[in-house]
Coordinates of all heavy atoms in Angstrom, one line a residue:
I73 N -41.9 -8.9 63.8 CA -40.8 -9.7 63.9 C -41.1 -11.1 64.3 O -42.2 -11.4 64.7 CB -39.7 -9.1 64.8 CG1 -40.2 -9.1 66.3 CG2 -39.3 -7.7 64.4 CD1 -39.2 -8.8 67.4
M108 N -61.4 -10.8 49.8 CA -61.1 -10.1 48.6 C -59.8 -10.6 48.0 O -59.0 -11.3 48.6 CB -60.9 -8.7 49.1 CG -62.1 -7.8 49.4 SD -61.8 -6.1 49.7 CE -63.5 -5.6 50.0
I260 N -43.9 -2.5 67.9 CA -43.4 -3.8 67.3 C -44.3 -5.0 67.8 O -44.5 -5.1 68.9 CB -41.8 -4.1 67.7 CG1 -41.0 -2.9 67.1 CG2 -41.4 -5.4 67.2 CD1 -39.6 -3.0 67.5

Side-chain angles (χ1 to χ4, degrees):
I73 67 171
M108 292 186 178
I260 294 173

